[in-house]
Structures are given as C-alpha cells and as structure tokens.
Amino acid sequence: MSKFYINHETIGSDGEMLLCDNVQNLVKFDMGPLESANDPNSDSTCEMLVEFICTKALFPLYLTFEPFSGMEEDLERLFKGKNIGYILRFEGLKNKRFPVFKLTIENPSSLTFLLQETFWIATCNNFYAFSFTDNIVYKPVIGKGWFGREKTWIWPHFDMNGSSTVIEIWHDGDGFNLYTTEPRFSTIEKLASYFPVGTSIVNNED
C-alpha cells in the first residue's frame, strides 16, 4: 500500500511570490512519499504523481521544464516518437538564453513516459512543474546579485487568477509543492480523495 504525506503550508518565500501571482488567494500543500527520504534512488515521487493525476484522469495537463543546453534535439526526437505535443522556446536576456520545453499531456501513458525519460532533470534541481491550465510565462525579475549589485533574471511565472493549480517538483525531485486556487484541491481531505482507495495519507496535524 502506498504511503504519502500531505501538509498544509504557508506561502512565504520570495521565490513563491515571484512564481505565482494572486498569492492572497492561493493554498499551498507540501506533498511527497514517506519512504523517499530514506531511499535517495527511489522513484516514489513519480509514482505519487501518476497516482494523483491518473486516478481521476486529470487530463489534459501541461509540463514545463528547463533541460540542460544541448539536449533539445534528443528530447524533441523522443516527444515526436510518442506523438506528444510540445513547444520549445529559448528564454533569457541577450546572449544568455536557455531552453524551455512545454508539453501537453493527454493520457496516462504519455505521463508515465515523460516521467521515465525526463524526471531525472528535476532531480538535478532544474525547474520542472505541472499545471492544469496553460498559464506559464517567463518574466524579467530585478534583484540583488553578487556584491549587492542589481541584476535581472528571467523567472517562470504562473497566472493564478481564476481556477489554477500548479505542481512544482521539490529539491532533488523529493516530493513537490502544490499551489491552487481551486476548491476541489483546497483541503488535505479533498487531495487525498484523488489517490486510489487504500492509499495511506498522513499529515502533521494528525
């Protein structure tokens, strides 16, 4: 029997403020497999994603990720071979640009395939996120760089006005944060209902 945790969290980091707008109406949950912390080679986060998304067929959904430069042709070949729709863009400023893939996932087999082939990119701490609406853009952000100098970055940004849900994979691919404005995902109990019957869900309020 699968065993996962779901914890309600507050939104507080600067990165979260930049990642999502309309934060005053957002609800955030920290979710992940219990056993993954003890097994760095576990693919339990992928299994959790498949169970959460596929049990009630939450399709279509969109995957956005930032691969390492130079991988674009190999990835495009993989996606075309499975007839998975995608857009490849290059984001950045002037001569410092990086590839970004956005894919449309229509069914469980495509989701499983993409996780098998690309989730390792998330474990390298590259940006990797799912959304249930096509609501991501990249925006310039001004902040402080080395020695306090002003610096501009390009940052992924989700439009959370209206009904929106985003799943951002966490550090080393170990679990994820779910941000939502949708009532269907607004409580731990509602989220738990999207897993198969018999799944064990624990939280820090138990």
Side-chain angles (χ1 to χ4, degrees):
M1 180 176 65
S2 300
K3 195 170 186 178
F4 306 125
Y5 67 84
I6 305 177
N7 297 323
H8 182 266
E9 299 285 342
T10 57
I11 296 176
S13 74
D14 291 341
E16 289 174 325
M17 299 296 185
L18 297 173
L19 180 69
C20 302
D21 60 9
N22 195 28
V23 293
Q24 66 272 18
N25 294 318
L26 278 182
V27 181
K28 174 188 174 183
F29 298 94
D30 173 26
M31 304 171 63
L34 283 175
E35 66 271 23
S36 63
N38 299 319
D39 182 3
N41 298 313
S42 172
D43 58 0
S44 298
T45 296
C46 291
E47 295 171 5
M48 184 178 186
L49 286 165
V50 169
E51 291 189 11
F52 176 67
I53 293 166
C54 294
T55 297
K56 294 189 178 180
L58 300 175
F59 299 100
L61 76 156
Y62 303 89
L63 168 62
T64 302
F65 69 91
E66 299 173 6
F68 293 99
S69 295
M71 297 178 58
E72 299 90 346
E73 288 187 9
D74 289 340
L75 288 170
E76 287 188 281
R77 194 177 303 114
L78 282 175
F79 304 152
K80 289 176 181 177
K82 292 294 183 177
N83 294 315
I84 298 173
Y86 72 90
I87 296 172
L88 171 61
R89 302 192 308 272
F90 288 84
E91 301 286 355
L93 300 168
K94 297 182 180 179
N95 61 337
K96 294 182 179 180
R97 302 180 71 81
F98 55 92
V100 177
F101 275 99
K102 182 171 69 177
L103 300 100
T104 303
I105 306 173
E106 301 282 358
N107 52 58
S109 61
S110 294
L111 174 63
T112 301
F113 173 78
L114 289 171
L115 289 172
Q116 289 173 343
E117 296 293 336
T118 68
F119 192 77
W120 68 269
I121 296 171
T123 69
C124 295
N125 297 319
N126 288 26
F127 180 75
Y128 194 102
F130 295 93
S131 57
F132 293 118
T133 52
D134 186 6
N135 62 340
I136 186 172
V137 295
Y138 277 71
K139 292 185 175 183
V141 174
I142 298 175
K144 296 293 184 181
W146 290 106
F147 309 111
R149 294 177 180 174
E150 191 173 89
K151 183 177 180 180
T152 301
W153 288 271
I154 295 296
W155 200 274
H157 179 83
F158 288 94
D159 179 0
M160 302 299 288
N161 292 292
S163 295
S164 299
T165 297
V166 170
I167 296 171
E168 183 189 17
I169 305 304
W170 187 232
H171 184 74
D172 293 339
D174 186 14
F176 52 88
N177 289 328
L178 183 146
Y179 304 90
T180 187
T181 60
E182 298 188 74
R184 61 176 174 163
F185 299 133
S186 61
T187 67
I188 291 173
E189 292 75 18
K190 290 180 179 179
L191 287 170
S193 74
Y194 283 83
F195 290 95
V197 174
T199 302
S200 177
I201 301 292
V202 300
N203 68 81
N204 58 11
E205 297 176 357
D206 289 339

